[in-house]
Amino acid sequence: MADLDQRLLMLIDDEPAQSRLISALASREGWRTLIVRDAETAIATLGTRQGMQLSAIILDQWVPGDDACVLIAELKSRRPALPILMLTASTSPLLAVEAMRAGATDYLIKPVAPDRLMHALRSATTQEAPRDELAPLTEKMAANPDFESMIGASPNFRKALAVAAKAARGHSPVLIEGESGSGKEMLIRAMHAASPRARMPLRIVNVGGMPANSIESVLFGHEKGAFPGAFDRQIGALQHCDGATLALDEIDSLPLSVQERLLEAIRKGDCRPIGARHSFRVDVRVIAASNLPLADMVSQDLFMPELLEALSATKVHLPALRERAGDLPALTRYFLARIGEQPGLRELGVTDGALSLLAAYDWPGNVRQLQAVLFRAAVFCDSDALTSEDFPQLLNILGTSSSTVAGNPIQESSGVMLYTPDGHLRPLQEIEADVIRLAIGLYRGRMTEVARRLGIGRSTLYRKLSELGIDNTA
């Protein structure tokens, strides 16, 4: 791989404004960008001296259109080790599957956030495991937004859900803290669905995903001519959510000047658009989410203590995935069931060895990262179950082979499924039937040996075969 100050990106894009934006973003981390306007030029460029210096390619699907996957395959056949990221406005899982199978390293949805683009480039050119690149696709697979869809049995996780479920029935503000990807947005939706305002809209504003100078206008609105560029009157999110719920994600990014206005709106129950002479009464339930502990930000004078107090009528802490490692098998099977429902994919099992590998990683991107990694693995899996070999990036990061994790041997066995796709335990009768089938297959139908290994008599075994409807020729 080229040194950081020599990295060259080829952008296949015929849209000048987008090309300038991506080039500017890439330059922040030392990338030089070579822009080509069509597929033919891109292929020809690969064979040039400059083309041999490429470290990555970004392809806008709009350029080759329906032939995007053909172009990806052609580029990959000529330069197999070169990462290719496809940029598209489509959220179709089927297109993502086809692009990745053709050789795309990642699949980015337009308009792509700057941090997501940079993380995708960083992941593609290092051994870093993918985190959020597939989030727009995997989040579309979320089940119904209710507490039953929140998979996990760890005590710290169940405690958080219990606090959130109780708070959902009220109208006071709620603060949810947890690392990025830990499930805060899903919990917000579950709380709204269980609240007295469930019939009203839920609006989620990602504070961290917008320019600081526009946040105040988005929240409070503005009058025509209130500032340069305010050509029309805009109604703010607080007014839009009168009688409903407003969720403020990444509230730790809220500027101090806007924090003061938000505090006043929560305390008085009104809001005044920028440039307006009068305030408007609003009845809004505010749910705030933060990636960082706001108490720490208060101590650093980055967050108002009064606003923290106003938001903390109920405070919920969602644990990181590494703090609820026991939930990983159930989450894995649940996500695989959801992934299997997507066009072009099928439901897969997972071996004990793969679960051991997943458990050895600390998941800095939490549940969202796990879901994206499983999606990627499912795209390329040709067998009926994921094995440790289906996670080559994790094997590289952990410095292991497909036969060991942290010095411990991996047992690649499909085993017996203990959980249903939604993460709950299967009925005992079904588990017992699977154990018997497994034993019959393992001992090649030698029923005396099967009975001996299971610790039961032959007559008991045959009775169970009859009761469970198992063919003893299995």
Side-chain angles (χ1 to χ4, degrees):
M1 183 174 61
D3 295 336
L4 294 184
D5 60 350
Q6 297 177 328
R7 289 179 302 177
L8 179 62
L9 169 69
M10 180 163 71
L11 174 61
I12 308 172
D13 196 347
D14 60 359
E15 188 177 332
Q18 180 172 268
S19 298
R20 288 194 297 270
L21 175 61
I22 291 178
S23 298
L25 293 173
S27 68
R28 294 179 186 176
E29 294 204 7
W31 289 83
R32 293 183 297 117
T33 304
L34 170 65
I35 301 173
V36 299
R37 306 296 182 188
D38 54 62
E40 292 75 14
T41 305
I43 293 173
T45 300
L46 288 183
T48 66
R49 181 176 180 181
Q50 197 172 28
M52 297 306 294
Q53 298 174 355
L54 291 173
S55 295
I57 295 174
I58 293 181
L59 161 66
D60 189 325
Q61 186 225 342
W62 181 259
V63 175
D66 293 338
D67 294 330
C69 293
V70 175
L71 176 57
I72 291 171
E74 177 67 19
L75 294 170
K76 205 68 178 176
S77 68
R78 293 170 182 259
R79 295 288 296 279
L82 198 60
I84 301 175
L85 287 69
M86 186 165 85
L87 190 62
T88 177
S90 171
T91 57
S92 166
L94 183 57
L95 179 58
V97 170
E98 292 174 346
M100 293 175 70
R101 285 177 175 163
T105 307
D106 274 309
Y107 182 95
L108 306 177
I109 309 296
K110 294 190 291 187
V112 62
D115 57 342
R116 181 164 290 165
L117 172 65
M118 297 317 303
H119 191 90
L121 281 170
R122 204 174 303 128
S123 298
T125 53
T126 66
Q127 288 189 345
E128 186 175 356
R131 291 178 63 171
D132 298 335
E133 291 81 359
L134 297 172
L137 295 170
T138 55
E139 286 167 4
K140 287 172 67 66
M141 301 186 298
N144 294 329
D146 54 41
F147 286 100
E148 288 298 318
S149 300
M150 304 285 289
I151 304 301
S154 297
N156 52 359
F157 182 69
R158 300 312 302 181
K159 179 181 178 181
L161 293 192
V163 173
K166 182 177 180 181
R169 300 191 290 269
H171 297 274
S172 300
V174 177
L175 173 63
I176 304 172
E177 291 184 342
E179 294 181 7
S180 178
S182 57
K184 296 188 296 296
E185 183 176 332
M186 189 171 182
L187 184 60
I188 288 170
R189 295 187 183 279
M191 291 185 65
H192 176 69
S195 76
R197 302 173 185 241
R199 294 182 179 274
M200 300 297 290
L202 166 68
R203 180 165 182 175
I204 299 178
V205 175
N206 188 335
V207 175
M210 63 180 64
N213 58 2
S214 67
I215 294 175
E216 185 175 6
S217 180
V218 169
L219 293 181
F220 297 94
H222 62 254
E223 295 296 319
K224 181 178 179 180
F227 50 82
F231 302 114
D232 297 293
R233 180 173 180 264
Q234 176 177 302
I235 298 176
L238 284 163
Q239 275 185 266
H240 268 302
C241 294
D242 189 18
T245 302
L246 173 63
L248 301 176
D249 196 11
E250 296 188 36
I251 198 169
D252 46 283
S253 301
L254 195 67
L256 283 167
S257 59
V258 184
Q259 290 180 29
E260 188 171 357
R261 291 205 63 191
L262 178 61
L263 173 62
E264 183 180 3
I266 293 174
R267 283 179 170 174
K268 295 183 178 180
D270 62 21
C271 73
R272 181 172 55 85
I274 301 173
R277 295 183 178 181
H278 305 288
S279 298
F280 297 88
R281 295 292 298 175
V282 290
D283 173 24
V284 179
R285 204 243 177 116
V286 175
I287 300 178
S290 174
N291 293 336
L292 303 173
L294 293 186
D296 292 348
M297 296 189 66
V298 168
S299 66
Q300 300 170 30
D301 297 324
L302 298 175
F303 204 86
M304 293 179 60
E306 298 85 359
L307 180 56
L308 174 57
E309 182 180 0
L311 293 172
S312 300
T314 299
K315 187 175 179 180
V316 180
H317 174 72
L318 270 181
L321 183 54
R322 63 182 173 277
E323 297 170 357
R324 45 183 291 224
D327 291 335
L328 194 141
L331 282 166
T332 297
R333 293 185 173 100
Y334 174 75
F335 286 144
L336 288 177
R338 300 294 300 172
I339 290 168
E341 297 171 358
Q342 304 309 303
L345 295 173
R346 57 198 170 84
E347 187 172 345
L348 298 170
V350 58
T351 66
D352 294 339
L355 288 175
S356 296
L357 179 65
L358 296 175
Y361 188 56
D362 64 359
W363 299 105
N366 293 293
V367 175
R368 183 191 300 150
Q369 182 186 10
L370 172 65
Q371 191 174 8
V373 167
L374 290 171
F375 186 97
R376 183 188 303 274
V379 167
F380 297 104
C381 182
D382 294 325
S383 61
D384 293 328
L386 295 177
T387 71
S388 57
E389 293 182 350
D390 291 306
F391 303 96
Q393 285 182 295
L394 292 185
L395 288 170
N396 287 336
I397 291 168
L398 295 170
T400 71
S401 68
S402 60
S403 60
T404 63
V405 171
N408 297 320
I410 294 179
Q411 299 293 327
E412 293 289 6
S413 166
S414 296
V416 173
M417 296 293 221
L418 299 180
Y419 300 92
T420 59
D422 62 3
H424 294 289
L425 282 171
R426 297 173 62 206
L428 182 59
Q429 190 177 48
E430 292 182 9
I431 296 173
E432 184 180 37
D434 281 355
V435 170
I436 293 174
R437 290 190 185 97
L438 182 65
I440 292 174
L442 184 61
Y443 299 106
R444 301 180 182 179
R446 292 174 288 145
M447 305 310 285
T448 300
E449 184 68 7
V450 169
R452 187 173 76 83
R453 294 292 179 177
L454 293 177
I456 58 178
R458 278 177 57 93
S459 59
T460 302
L461 174 60
Y462 281 108
R463 175 172 55 78
K464 288 184 176 291
L465 293 176
S466 177
E467 291 173 352
L468 298 172
I470 299 174
D471 182 359
N472 64 7
T473 63

